[in-house]
Amino acid sequence: MNNTVFVTGAAGFIGSAVARHLLAEHDDTVVNIDCLTYAGNRATIENELNHARYVFEQVDIRDRAALDRLFAQYQPRAIMHLAAESHVDRSIDGPRDFIDTNIIGTYNLLEAARQYYLGLDENDQSRFRFHHVSTDEVFGSLGDEGLFTEDSPYEPSSPYSASKAASDHLVRAWFETYGLPVVLSNCSNNYGPYQYPEKLLPVIISKVLRGEAIPVYGSGKNVRDWLYVDDHARALVCIMNTGRKGRSYNVGGNEERNNLEVVEAVCAILDELRPSADGKPHLELIKHVADRPGHDHRYAIDASRIRDELGWEPQESFDSGMRKTVEWYLDHQDWVSRVLEGSYDGGRLGTATGKTS
Ligand code: DAU
């Protein structure tokens, strides 16, 4: 067994941050397993491709034979599974890819990992970990009070969160039934560099830069807990290396904001760094649009388990992380154009207009 870690989905937003963190702070060789969907891009991994400890394998996790080949070839000590369809609005428009990738893909990976694990000697088996990276959305929606803990019941609302809940259950079953050494984590809303421009943060920035309306779904009072992506990447590597087998860990930024507050914060930074030509505050671009169907009211994470047991805490505050993120997008508009090429025109997604897949 080698000092090699598989990271699935490492041409995407969080996966690429994990790979960069492993290369910068650890000795492992990183094998990025990514099939490059619309959200996974070469433009995101350009700096890593020439790194001596980085390998890119363009493989789809739905392809079991290809996964078996990768396990045999690289003999990894761990797998961090982040490859997923992740956008709630797209899951409303077309759930099929979410079922295929998030559920069947995870099943394939579990079986490929189990076959590999069964062939390891006792020492290597004790080192091996399968880390499944999931979301707080599996717990459904909170009212105005309370926090998600690792023991919160699963109550997913969207096709996306239902598919992630299903994959969490599969991973747990492979631990209980087959003894595959797994760890799980459920995170809150990530933001930071390289996030595909369909999510709230980059949508706000793109709309402001084009002088277009900023679409706020419904009242804008929905609350999310914002976590800077590099803090999350650090948490994930910590969980993979030191988390207890069979256990799950909630990861959050402890920075709850409603969507209007997020829009206000980003607009205030852009008023300073990119004032509008007519001097009007960017906030005037807000436009309330039809709500997302099944829109969860509030997510908030109790991250005390990972803090108390593994010693992880977020380092970035909402204000410092937002500023870094806005500055990054202003400096990387070429990246935005490249990843959007032909795949997303910035239009509204996820309105459930009655079309089925
Ligand atoms: O909580 C973790 C989850 O966070 C992850 O599991 C998902 O993969 C990730 O996409 C994210 O889900 P959200 O649905 O919370 O993220 P999104 O950026 O789509 O939306 C954030 C909030 O902003 C949500 O309340 C919907 C709202 N929104 C979003 C967009 C794109 C708007 O008001 N306008 C928009 O244009």
Side-chain angles (χ1 to χ4, degrees), residues 86 135-137 160 189 199-200 215 217 224 259 292 295:
S86 73
T135 169
D136 60 0
E137 297 200 12
Y160 159 68
N189 279 60
K199 311 277 191 195
L200 180 62
Y217 298 171
R224 300 290 183 262
N259 294 338
R292 170 187 281 173
H295 198 175

Side-chain angles (χ1 to χ4, degrees), residues 117-134:
Y117 176 78
L118 289 172
L120 297 175
D121 64 28
E122 220 172 282
N123 187 38
D124 284 347
Q125 281 192 340
S126 71
R127 282 181 69 205
F128 184 72
R129 289 291 178 280
F130 185 112
H131 179 180
H132 181 57
V133 178
S134 189

Side-chain angles (χ1 to χ4, degrees), residues 189-191 200-201 224-227 253 255 257 262 318:
N189 279 60
N190 281 225
Y191 68 101
L200 180 62
L201 243 289
R224 300 290 183 262
D225 171 0
W226 293 92
L227 171 66
E255 291 280 18
R257 298 287 187 285
V262 173
F318 179 83

Side-chain angles (χ1 to χ4, degrees), residues 32-102:
N32 171 9
I33 301 171
D34 198 304
C35 71
L36 302 184
T37 62
Y38 78 95
N41 280 280
R42 272 180 199 278
T44 301
I45 57 173
E46 255 170 10
N47 294 335
E48 285 72 61
L49 281 172
N50 292 325
H51 196 291
R53 287 187 286 112
Y54 187 88
V55 182
F56 173 47
E57 287 282 358
Q58 188 172 349
V59 161
D60 192 326
I61 57 168
R62 290 168 289 189
D63 181 350
R64 172 66 198 276
L67 293 176
D68 288 341
R69 174 179 66 73
L70 296 181
F71 274 102
Q73 181 175 346
Y74 294 105
Q75 305 275 308
R77 72 172 181 92
I79 173 158
M80 302 178 78
H81 176 33
L82 293 98
E85 290 293 337
S86 73
H87 196 47
V88 174
D89 292 331
R90 283 183 195 265
S91 81
I92 295 167
D93 288 337
R96 178 79 213 204
D97 285 346
F98 291 73
I99 307 302
D100 284 347
T101 298
N102 300 357

